[in-house]
């Protein structure tokens, strides 16, 4: 039965496992694992950077980036809902001694350019030194468009700041934007990165690898990053057994992200059709969906009943009211990925219809 909790729950395909089994191996701390070197080189060329570095997780690649760009007492401008600020344990402050300057997100998921400009501190010993602007794309499934990404990069350069992309789902953004720009998803991803000093790419979400992320940047930046990765415990040995999966993912699983987007739209359309029926009538709110992540909102008691009903039928998803603990509504998160098919969506919609027309 479908697991909508996250696109991190995917499992490697048979072909991916074959690539892992046959991977050539070395020692990545000595920088001589051939499969890892091939993955890093492939990703760097695809996205237009000098070099790349593999690490166990996106949390670590983001922290490595922050600590490579900033020193103790420096400041990074981030979004209130960015993973780098809210969802990664406060690592930039706790481990990096970097001050976050969080900004409120706009409805479309962006940070207002004027808000960014206003947050940049003057050169004054009273203030932390602003050194870095961090952007996340996608954010909560929302796509930040190419024009906006270019504006932020230009603002950073005009302000003599570095800029980093938390691109855990950057390829989802690229797949969504590519048709409008008449580009391939790979070329679109490269365009989104232009002008940025670094980007973190997650291999274990929609791309379907079992573990790992990449950090990309200049050769000098990646040299600094390698030292910090070692400090953080991210230096590993025969990484080829897992980087083979990442290489397979980049070579085979980018275009297929469009299937996840289509399934999320199908689920949203089905939920919207049910929103005025039975127990859902006037209660269910379906938020707009752009990529593979869909949010719905229900009153707390009804949301709990629905989640219990779905769990009884082995359908898993996450739900919380963490954004506002006093809220009487719960937000439910549905994430489509390569282990969820169109048939799974249709089966889930049948279950939702049964719940909508059941007795409370």
């Amino acid at each position: 039965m479908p697991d909508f909790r996250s696109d991190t729950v995917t499992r490697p395909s048979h072909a991916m496992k074959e690539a892992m089994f046959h991977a050539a191996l070395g020692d990545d701390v000595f920088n001589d694992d051939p499969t890892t070197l091939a993955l890093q080189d492939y990703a760097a060329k695809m996205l237009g950077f000098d070099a790349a570095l593999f690490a166990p997780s996106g949390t670590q690649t983001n922290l490595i980036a922050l600590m490579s760009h900033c020193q103790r007492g420096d400041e990074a401008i981030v979004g209130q809902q960015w993973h780098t600020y809210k969802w990664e344990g406060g690592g930039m402050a706790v481990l990096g001694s970097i001050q976050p300057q969080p900004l409120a997100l706009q409805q479309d998921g962006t940070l207002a350019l004027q808000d960014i400009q206003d947050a940049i501190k003057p050169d004054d010993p009273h203030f932390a030194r602003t050194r870095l602007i961090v952007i996340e794309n996608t954010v909560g499934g929302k796509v930040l468009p190419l024009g906006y990404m270019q504006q932020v990069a230009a603002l950073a350069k005009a302000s003599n700041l570095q800029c980093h992309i938390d691109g855990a789902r950057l390829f989802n953004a690229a797949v969504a934007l590519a048709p409008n720009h008449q580009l391939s998803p790979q070329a679109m991803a490269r365009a989104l990165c232009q002008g940025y000093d670094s980007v973190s790419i997650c291999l274990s979400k929609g791309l379907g690898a079992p573990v790992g992320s990449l950090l990309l940047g200049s050769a000098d930046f990646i040299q600094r990053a390698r030292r910090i990765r070692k400090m953080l415990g991210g230096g590993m040995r025969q990484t080829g057994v897992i980087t083979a999966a990442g290489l397979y993912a980049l070579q085979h699983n980018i275009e297929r992200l469009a299937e996840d987007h289509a399934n999320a739209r199908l689920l949203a359309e089905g939920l919207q059709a049910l929103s005025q029926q039975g127990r859902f009538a006037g209660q269910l709110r379906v938020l707009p969906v752009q990529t593979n992540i869909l949010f719905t909102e229900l009153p707390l008691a009804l949301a709990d009943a629905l989640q219990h009903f779905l769990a009884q039928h082995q359908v898993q998803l996450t739900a919380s009211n963490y954004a506002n603990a006093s809220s009487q509504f719960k937000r439910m998160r549905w994430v489509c990925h390569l282990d969820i098919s169109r048939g799974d969506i249709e089966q889930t919609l049948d279950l939702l219809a049964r719940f909508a027309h059941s007795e409370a």
Side-chain angles (χ1 to χ4, degrees):
M1 295 298 292
D3 186 343
F4 292 99
R5 289 175 298 169
S6 177
D7 44 11
T8 60
V9 303
T10 59
R11 298 177 183 179
S13 65
H14 177 76
M16 184 178 283
K17 290 178 181 178
E18 283 290 308
M20 295 168 73
F21 182 79
H22 294 289
L25 303 179
D27 187 322
D28 188 43
V29 173
F30 286 116
N31 201 31
D32 66 7
D33 184 281
T35 304
T36 301
L37 293 172
L39 166 65
Q40 293 168 167
D41 183 63
Y42 185 89
K45 288 178 178 176
M46 179 191 295
L47 295 177
F49 289 92
D50 292 342
L53 183 70
F54 179 79
S57 70
T59 296
Q60 190 170 104
T61 48
N62 277 330
L63 181 57
I64 292 169
L66 287 159
M67 293 177 66
S68 298
H69 286 302
C70 300
Q71 302 299 310
R72 285 176 63 92
D74 286 349
E75 176 183 85
I77 295 172
V78 294
Q80 285 276 6
Q81 301 299 323
W82 280 186
H83 279 72
T84 44
Y85 174 64
K86 186 172 183 178
W87 298 101
E88 294 179 355
M92 73 163 76
V94 176
L95 301 177
S97 296
I98 300 164
Q99 173 172 290
Q101 171 58 73
L103 303 178
L105 271 62
Q106 304 300 301
Q107 283 294 110
D108 62 359
T110 63
L111 301 179
L113 295 175
Q114 190 61 53
D115 287 351
I116 297 175
Q117 185 69 63
D118 292 345
I120 299 171
K121 307 298 186 293
D123 185 7
D124 184 308
H126 290 87
F127 304 116
R129 297 165 297 187
T130 307
R131 285 288 183 264
L132 179 68
I133 299 172
V134 179
I135 290 294
E136 187 170 320
N137 198 4
T138 63
V139 53
K142 294 179 180 179
V143 177
L144 276 57
L146 177 61
Y148 174 78
M149 298 292 288
Q150 292 171 334
Q151 288 176 312
V152 173
L155 171 59
K157 292 300 177 285
S159 304
N160 198 30
L161 301 178
Q162 300 292 293
C163 48
H164 170 70
I165 304 172
D166 175 0
R169 295 185 176 91
L170 185 76
F171 287 109
N172 289 94
V175 165
L177 292 170
N180 291 337
H181 292 270
Q182 298 183 323
L183 294 172
S184 69
Q186 293 85 347
M188 190 72 245
R190 184 186 182 106
L192 289 168
C193 294
Q194 292 303 297
Y196 285 81
D197 297 287
S198 60
V199 61
S200 170
I201 300 293
C202 190
L203 302 168
S204 63
K205 291 188 170 71
L207 294 177
V211 65
S213 287
L214 289 167
L215 179 62
L216 299 96
S218 69
D220 287 345
F221 173 80
I222 293 300
Q223 186 174 4
R224 295 197 303 274
R226 183 176 295 277
R227 175 179 290 271
I228 293 170
R229 184 188 69 172
K230 181 66 176 175
M231 184 196 313
L232 296 175
M236 299 179 290
R237 301 301 178 177
Q238 285 70 44
T239 50
V241 293
I242 48 179
T243 55
L247 183 58
Y248 181 93
L250 289 180
Q251 292 173 338
H252 298 279
N253 286 352
I254 293 176
E255 288 85 352
R256 64 142 306 279
L257 291 170
E259 299 173 23
D260 302 337
H261 299 183
N263 283 335
R265 288 193 299 271
L266 179 64
L267 179 61
E269 290 164 2
L271 280 161
Q272 191 63 53
L274 289 169
S275 65
Q276 297 305 316
Q277 298 182 29
R279 299 170 71 180
F280 288 147
Q283 304 294 311
L284 173 63
R285 181 184 177 209
V286 182
L287 278 63
V289 60
Q290 295 182 2
T291 54
N292 67 318
I293 300 176
L294 169 67
F295 290 98
T296 58
E297 291 182 348
L298 281 169
L300 291 176
L302 186 57
D304 290 342
L306 174 59
Q307 196 166 12
H308 177 71
F309 172 84
L310 291 174
Q312 289 180 315
H313 294 85
Q314 290 79 53
V315 176
Q316 300 184 76
L317 73 159
T318 59
S320 73
N321 61 340
Y322 58 80
N324 183 354
S326 63
S327 172
Q328 297 303 304
F329 289 85
K330 183 172 281 191
R331 179 166 288 191
M332 311 186 84
R333 181 175 183 256
W334 310 76
V335 185
C336 294
H337 48 78
L338 62 83
D339 286 341
I340 289 181
S341 66
R342 183 184 179 92
D344 291 326
I345 300 295
E346 292 169 347
Q347 187 175 11
T348 300
L349 287 171
D350 287 342
L351 286 171
L352 290 165
R354 284 173 53 190
F355 176 84
H357 295 290
S358 65
E359 296 294 328

